Amino acid sequence: MVILDLSTNRIHGKILKWLLDPSMQYLNALNLSHNLLTRFDQHPVVLLGKTFDFSSNNLQGPLPVPPPETILYLVSNNSLIGEIPSWICNFNTLKNLVLSHNSLSGLLPQCLGNFSDELSVLDLQGNEQLLWDHPKYFH
């Protein structure tokens, strides 16, 4: 299976463990957006694939960990908490990083200002507890 799109289906509750199982290694894209999902069935959450859309759910807890080959990472409009982890700096192929409208906090990783030329969308709006020093990050 290359693409699994279960968006806008009123799926509620936790994201089932089988979606994150290593047997799903051929899954390139997972879209669970616009549902009523609240959490993952296992922690820490390590994702398989290259594109992820978990936006517009009610996911709680820290950011799920996608692989470094991730191209698209959309988790906006949830209730995710914590800092943006430094593992985000290891993404060389990331084109869209949308973490907007969550409850993320803390200092932004310094690498966000030196991200690869591949990154075309960086959306962090609506995370009122994020701290950053504009001149250091974007030249």
Side-chain angles (χ1 to χ4, degrees):
M1 183 179 325
V2 177
I3 298 171
L4 179 58
D5 185 346
L6 298 172
S7 61
T8 318
N9 276 303
R10 296 182 181 232
I11 301 170
H12 65 278
K14 59 187 175 183
I15 295 175
L16 298 176
K17 196 183 297 187
W18 68 266
L19 284 173
L20 308 173
D21 191 274
S23 66
M24 298 292 284
Q25 65 187 352
Y26 299 107
L27 185 65
N28 284 329
L30 178 59
N31 185 350
L32 296 173
S33 66
H34 297 89
N35 281 295
L36 303 167
L37 298 166
T38 56
R39 63 187 176 94
F40 291 89
D41 196 26
Q42 65 185 37
H43 286 281
V45 178
V46 179
L47 303 171
L48 301 170
K50 293 184 179 180
T51 66
F52 305 96
D53 189 349
F54 298 125
S55 58
S56 298
N57 279 286
N58 192 27
L59 292 174
Q60 301 169 1
L63 288 171
V65 181
E69 315 72 53
T70 298
I71 296 169
L72 181 75
Y73 189 62
L74 311 175
V75 293
S76 63
N77 298 303
N78 280 290
S79 298
L80 297 169
I81 59 169
E83 295 184 357
I84 297 175
S86 59
W87 51 251
I88 207 91
C89 300
N90 298 327
F91 289 37
N92 297 324
T93 58
L94 191 62
K95 293 184 183 204
N96 293 342
L97 177 60
V98 180
L99 308 176
S100 60
H101 303 286
N102 280 287
S103 295
L104 300 174
S105 60
L107 286 172
L108 291 176
Q110 287 190 359
C111 68
L112 287 181
N114 300 321
F115 233 94
S116 86
D117 293 333
E118 296 290 324
L119 187 66
S120 59
V121 175
L122 174 62
D123 188 351
L124 304 172
Q125 69 180 324
N127 289 288
E128 294 160 5
Q129 299 298 315
L130 281 177
L131 305 172
W132 64 300
D133 184 1
H134 180 71
K136 284 185 182 177
Y137 289 99
F138 302 98
H139 313 251

